[in-house]
Every structure is written in C-alpha cells, then in structure tokens.
Amino acid sequence: MNLHVQRLGAGPDLVMLHGWGLHGGIFTEVAEQLAQRFRISLIDLPGHGRSPQPEQMLKLSTLTDMVAAAAPTRATWLGWSLGGMIAAQLALTAPAQVENLIMVCTSPRFVTADDWPCAMDPAVLTGFAQALQEDYHGTLERFLSLQIAPGTAEGRHNLRQLREMMQRSPMPAEQALRDGLGILCAADLRLGFAALHRPALLILGERDRLVPACVAPAIGALASTLRIEVIKGAGHVPFLSHPRAFLAAVTAFWDDHHG
C-alpha cells in the first residue's frame, strides 16, 4: 500500500510523522522553515490524510513497516505523539534507517501503570474508542481540545489552527482511529529505550495534558544519552504554539551532531 508523502526542500533527509487523528499538514509552518536546510518527507499515516486505510488491523509493528517503506533509506526521523512512538519503534527494529531520532510530546508508554504514574489514564483512551461510533466528530473535537494549553488566548488560537488543519484533508478513517487508540493503550517501549543507540532528542510541552512533562525524569532514566527539552508554556502541539523554541531545539540538536 502506498502512503501519501509530501516532500519539501533539499539537503539531508528529515521524515516527519504526525499523531493520532491528524495528517502531515499539521507540520506545515515548521516544515517550511526546516526545508531551508533539509529534504522533508511529510508522511500521512494509513487511514489519515490522503493515505488509504489498509484492510488489516494496524498494530505498531505493521504501521512502522508501512511508514518505513514510504521513507528514504536513511534519515533523521521526527515523530509527534503517536508518530514519535512509530519513529522510536523503527529506531529499535531498523536502526540503519534512522540516523537521528527526534520525538515530540511522546512517551515509550502513553498510559499509566503502577511504576509509570506520569501518563494518561487508560480510561480516557478507551472512552474515546467507545465514543467514536456514537459521535465521530464530537470525539475528534474533544481530543483536539486536550492538545492545547487551556485557559489562554494562545490555546484558543491553537485549537482553531487544529480545526482548520483537520478540515484541509479528508477526515481520518474510523478504523484507523480505533487501531491508533489500541496502539496507544497497549504499546510499551520502555525496555527498548535502553537500547536506543542513535542520537535522540525528546521535546515535551510544560502544560501538555496528554504526555505530562513530569514523565521526563522517568524517560531520562531509561535512556541516559537522550536529550530532553521542555518548552515552557506549551501544550501537546509545541510546533504550533511555540514554533521558534521548537525550531531552535531541533536545529541545535542537529548542529551538535553534524556541526
């Protein structure tokens, strides 16, 4: 199955993966900036944006294989939220394809456990899955509202941006959304993080309600070589709310390893 890929710029390859419910266009503003020094590949995940929905149920392993087939043979990978988990999985299973790894508002485990308190309550994700069939559009709207820093004019502006972004492309397939929620509920890459042997950066938002910034010490303990940046005041979409700080973190990380 061929996934939709938009390419911008010229230079070293940089693959950008979006998160649940959105599409590659979510990165448009920062991608245009990064295209001044990178060859960008914006990939729509299966069943999202302009990529078709596969017939089989999507698991993290099959999703990762599909994305890898649409990407350059070697690149820096930047993944946001679910996209970050896919990029991390690829770094573990096909390290030759991943030169550097940049994860944005993501975690090796998205839901809480007895030894993993700084994460989402699993009931939130299962509730979204149950509500999709009854109120597809309302469920997506509620999910978008969780991605912004609440109670601020900036957060309201970011929510409008997210709504507009979603409308610029075909709506995601319901099955793809269900499969994505299943992955976020079940996947646990914590053991794998200790085996990451690529330069890696994790960008978190200080006010993120989906991947709380308090998870930073626990993730840092799993991968001691991982660089962690927390963007002050940002929610789950720092590339929209704080593009300058986001771009500064990405370019500084690249320059430190390729200067």
Side-chain angles (χ1 to χ4, degrees):
M1 185 184 72
N2 293 325
L3 300 184
H4 180 267
V5 184
Q6 179 184 1
R7 291 194 167 88
L8 306 169
D13 279 303
L14 173 64
V15 177
M16 303 181 76
L17 297 179
H18 64 86
W20 186 87
L22 275 301
H23 54 83
I26 190 71
F27 294 118
T28 296
E29 181 177 346
V30 293
E32 289 175 350
Q33 296 295 316
L34 290 169
Q36 297 176 21
R37 58 189 297 177
F38 297 101
R39 180 176 181 258
I40 308 293
S41 295
L42 299 174
I43 301 178
D44 286 348
L45 297 180
H48 293 71
R50 291 176 171 80
S51 288
Q53 168 67 27
E55 294 181 1
Q56 73 269 37
M57 178 180 176
L58 289 171
K59 298 181 179 180
L60 181 58
S61 57
T62 54
L63 186 55
T64 302
D65 289 343
M66 291 178 182
V67 168
T73 56
R74 186 168 177 83
T76 293
W77 286 71
L78 186 156
W80 165 59
S81 196
L82 173 61
M85 180 170 273
I86 296 168
Q89 172 77 359
L90 184 64
L92 295 171
T93 58
Q97 199 165 349
V98 181
E99 184 173 3
N100 305 292
L101 175 63
I102 302 171
M103 297 169 287
V104 182
C105 297
T106 195
S107 175
R109 181 184 172 95
F110 272 79
V111 295
T112 56
D114 290 342
D115 58 348
W116 198 254
C118 287
M120 294 180 67
D121 184 337
V124 174
L125 294 181
T126 56
F128 277 119
Q130 293 169 0
L132 269 175
Q133 187 172 2
E134 299 174 3
D135 186 4
Y136 172 92
H137 292 283
T139 301
L140 287 177
E141 174 67 21
R142 287 192 294 275
F143 190 79
L144 292 183
S145 69
L146 289 175
Q147 303 195 38
I148 56 96
T152 66
E154 181 179 71
R156 291 189 290 273
H157 173 67
N158 294 151
L159 183 56
R160 287 194 296 271
Q161 286 179 294
L162 287 167
R163 289 168 176 159
E164 291 170 1
M165 290 286 183
M166 183 168 283
Q167 294 170 0
R168 290 178 189 174
S169 192
M171 296 298 287
E174 184 176 326
Q175 188 58 51
L177 295 177
R178 291 185 180 281
D179 292 347
L181 290 172
I183 291 170
L184 293 175
C185 281
D188 190 340
L189 300 183
R190 288 181 293 173
L191 289 178
F193 261 50
L196 284 174
H197 298 304
R198 290 289 179 269
L201 168 67
L202 173 63
I203 299 175
L204 298 172
E206 180 190 38
R207 302 186 65 192
D208 192 341
R209 292 183 285 172
L210 297 175
V211 180
C214 62
V215 77
I219 298 179
L222 295 174
S224 59
T225 60
L226 177 68
R227 178 188 295 189
I228 301 177
E229 300 280 351
V230 179
I231 296 182
K232 187 176 181 180
H236 196 60
V237 284
F239 46 88
L240 287 183
S241 63
H242 296 72
R244 289 185 180 179
F246 177 84
L247 289 168
V250 170
T251 55
F253 169 73
W254 172 267
D255 290 342
D256 285 350
H257 293 284
H258 300 275

